[in-house]
Amino acid sequence: QCLVGSEMCIRDRVIDLMILGMGPDGHYASLFPGHDEVKVTDRLTVGVNHSPKMPPLRVSLTAPLIARSRRTWFFAAGAGKAESLAHVFERPNNPHYPSSYANGVDEFTWFSTEETVTEL
C-alpha cells in the first residue's frame, strides 16, 4: 500500500531480518490485543499512546511492514504463552492475537519451548 500523496509504499520497503517476541497476551512489536494499531495499513509506523505495559508511549512498525520482512524469526517461550500461541496459529490476522499478523517474505520461523506448544 502507498501512503496518500507520497511515493513511499509499504510494498517497496523490505527489512532483511525481523526478530520478534510474543507476549503472554499475543502482542508483538507494541501491537496489543484490543487496540486498533494492529489494523493500521496506510503508514510505515504507528504511535501507541496507551500501552498496557510500560512505557505507555511507544512507536511501532505497522503490521504490513513487519510482514514484508525477508526473514522473520519469532520467539515465544514459557507455558504462560501456550494458549495465546494456539490462537495465533488458529487464524491469521486476528486482532485479538496480534502476533497472528506476523509473516515473512522468504522465511518465517517460530522458535519456542516445549511447554509453549502444548496446546497446538
Side-chain angles (χ1 to χ4, degrees), residues 10 47 55 64 68 82 84:
I10 289 174
R68 291 283 307 143
S84 287

Side-chain angles (χ1 to χ4, degrees), residues 33-45:
H35 296 189
D36 289 334
E37 290 87 3
V38 74
K39 299 175 189 173
V40 172
T41 61
D42 64 345
R43 345 177 240 250
L44 301 176
T45 61

Side-chain angles (χ1 to χ4, degrees), residues 37-101:
E37 290 87 3
V38 74
K39 299 175 189 173
V40 172
T41 61
D42 64 345
R43 345 177 240 250
L44 301 176
T45 61
V46 63
V48 177
N49 63 10
H50 51 279
S51 166
K53 298 178 152 262
M54 292 300 290
L57 301 176
R58 300 166 178 227
V59 175
S60 178
L61 300 176
T62 57
L65 179 60
I66 292 170
R68 291 283 307 143
S69 174
R70 283 194 179 100
R71 293 180 298 149
T72 301
W73 298 347
F74 213 120
F75 292 82
K81 298 180 183 180
E83 183 179 346
S84 287
L85 187 63
H87 288 292
V88 165
F89 279 91
E90 244 174 26
R91 184 180 85 170
N93 303 331
N94 180 348
H96 300 292
Y97 297 91
S99 292
S100 67
Y101 283 78

